Amino acid sequence: MQPFENPIYVTRPFLPPLSEFCEGLQEIWDNHWLTNYGPILKRFEKQLADYVETEKLSLFTNGTLALQIGLQGMGISGEVITTPFTFVATTHALYWNKIRPVFCDIEPDYYTLDAEKVESLITPWTMAILPVHVFGHPCNLEKLQEIARKHNLRLIYDAAHAFGVRVNDKPIALFGDMTMFSMHATKLYHSLEGGMLTFHDPRLKSTLNYLKNFGFKNEVEVVMPGTNAKMNEMQALMGIQMLNYIENLINKQKEIDSIYRACLKDTPGIRFCPQLPQSVSHNYSYVPVGIDEEEFGLSRDELYETLKHYNVFTRRYFYPLVCDFACYQSLSVSHPLTVARRVAERILTLPTYYELKLDDVHRICDIIRHIQRERVSKIQITENLIIPHRRGVAKRSWDR
Ligand code: T4K
């Protein structure tokens, strides 16, 4: 099998036509207003409010700062129960608030926080739960809400991957006390970089506005020690234009997802997440698969490395687990995290993005199957070589 001529990465940002973006830039040039709550940002906020069906939202320069500031705005301290199977920014946001992350295991189907295991980790110092809608898969919303209510904990979702996801025809933004979205370039929906918080308590709006703008109330009053995490006009412009394409983007990724599922369904050792229930309208932002070394014939890492020879650059989102990074290793972990460890060892996310040609998706599947066949036949040849040798029949198969 021939490698791809050009590299195929795990993702590639969609961009609106350059002419469209340039037209938008004209307004910025005319206004000479680049950041600090400009007119395009205000327009973006309104359009997003329509999309996520709440005006209780705030925009930030990126998702990490959004989460960090969100936790601060809600006054979270002590301990927070969270998942180790996520991008490290989820945990960093806790660390920057001097909050102790308490890692809980994940469930094996969709890799979200295992709600059944949360209660056993609650201590007098627990103030919140921070689950992640990882790969856009909604967490166990009902159960988590029930636990949060019962123990008077705040429920804050990291929905970095979940823009556009709906549950029971409700935007995922409307669940929990607060939800963070990332609009980073690598996301299905992006604003170059960017972050959004949606929240339940309307009083948070002004707190968040202060926190992301140095705590400025006016020229002479600073009401809290805020930072600088504002979204600028260029980001807002991209965000507005990208909203026109969101449905197309999701539809294309859905198509890609179903091709991978269909083409690889009979390949032993490749496991897809089960289809989500009808109640979920998914965004198909990632294609995660689990590689079972014994059945597949290669380990996940061998497949990941071999695919590079074909110019296919998959990613191991999320390996290693956050708790295994040097900066978090000193944290004691009371749960064995059995499922999370197994998933992290096997996970591979396959390329998916709007411009990925469907033929190329088929070709990626062909390459994966080819790599497997090659390996299986090598193993068979080796067995043929070794077994007769062990039996003392022949040293090499060609000796026979
Ligand atoms: N919570 C969760 C659960 C998250 O996944 C993230 C971010 C956050 C919180 C924090 O949100 P932000 O603060 O980022 O808004 C990427 C992203 O940088 C990161 O945003 C994302 N999660 C994470 C899952 O993926 P890397 O280190 O894998 O990115 P990178 O630069 O290796 O890009 C991946 C591939 O994308 C490249 O191989 C090529 C392609 N690419 C990338 C960029 C930036 C492009 O084609 N064009 C581009 O401009 O982290």
Side-chain angles (χ1 to χ4, degrees), residues 28 45 64 80 95 103 124 214 237 343 399:
I28 299 179
E45 256 190 8
T64 307
V80 168
Y95 180 87
F103 294 111
F214 313 104
L237 175 64
V343 173
D399 282 343

Side-chain angles (χ1 to χ4, degrees), residues 9-13 62-65 86-87 89-90 132 158 160-161 180 182-187 193-194 286 315 317-318:
Y9 295 113
V10 70
T11 188
R12 183 179 163 87
N62 60 54
T64 307
L65 283 171
T86 182
F87 190 60
T90 315
V132 178
D158 178 334
H161 305 170
M180 179 280 280
S182 164
M183 302 174 198
H184 183 262
T186 54
K187 299 289 180 289
E193 289 229 29
Y286 293 83
R315 290 302 279 266
Y317 292 140
F318 289 100

Side-chain angles (χ1 to χ4, degrees), residues 37-193:
Y37 211 48
I40 302 181
L41 185 104
K42 286 180 190 153
R43 212 155 62 224
F44 186 32
E45 256 190 8
K46 270 209 165 81
Q47 294 189 8
L48 280 173
D50 286 344
Y51 190 77
V52 296
E53 298 177 21
T54 177
E55 285 181 355
K56 289 179 275 176
L57 67 84
S58 190
L59 291 170
F60 296 83
T61 196
N62 60 54
T64 307
L65 283 171
L67 186 56
Q68 213 173 292
I69 291 172
L71 290 161
Q72 198 179 16
M74 287 183 78
I76 307 294
S77 61
E79 294 179 358
V80 168
I81 298 170
T82 189
T83 168
F85 186 73
T86 182
F87 190 60
V88 71
T90 315
T91 314
H92 285 346
L94 295 171
Y95 180 87
W96 278 70
N97 279 290
K98 299 190 168 55
I99 296 166
R100 182 171 183 270
V102 174
F103 294 111
C104 178
D105 207 358
I106 58 173
E107 47 77 30
D109 284 340
Y110 301 106
Y111 315 140
T112 60
L113 194 72
D114 188 342
E116 300 299 330
K117 294 182 182 162
V118 167
E119 270 187 300
S120 66
L121 292 169
I122 296 173
T123 72
W125 296 277
T126 311
M127 258 194 96
I129 311 171
L130 174 55
V132 178
H133 299 307
V134 68
F135 306 133
H137 301 153
C139 298
N140 188 340
L141 303 164
E142 265 177 40
K143 179 77 186 168
L144 288 166
Q145 189 61 64
E146 184 195 310
I147 296 169
R149 209 171 282 142
K150 181 169 154 200
H151 297 273
N152 193 25
L153 304 176
R154 303 281 77 77
L155 183 54
I156 300 163
Y157 284 112
D158 178 334
H161 305 170
F163 193 90
V165 173
R166 296 176 74 90
V167 179
N168 291 325
D169 210 23
K170 241 171 86 169
I172 195 102
L174 302 183
F175 295 85
D177 295 296
M178 180 177 271
T179 302
M180 179 280 280
F181 295 85
S182 164
M183 302 174 198
H184 183 262
T186 54
K187 299 289 180 289
L188 167 88
Y189 170 79
H190 72 88
S191 57
L192 303 171
E193 289 229 29

Side-chain angles (χ1 to χ4, degrees), residues 246-288:
I246 180 81
E247 291 315 316
N248 290 349
L249 299 181
I250 293 176
N251 288 339
K252 176 68 185 280
Q253 308 238 149
K254 183 177 180 181
E255 234 178 316
I256 292 175
D257 183 87
S258 46
I259 293 177
Y260 276 125
R261 282 177 187 269
C263 290
L264 294 174
K265 78 173 185 320
D266 296 325
T267 310
I270 296 197
R271 176 194 176 279
F272 285 83
C273 295
Q275 294 283 6
L276 285 157
Q278 288 284 317
S279 54
V280 177
S281 171
H282 190 29
N283 66 4
Y284 304 91
S285 51
Y286 293 83
V287 181

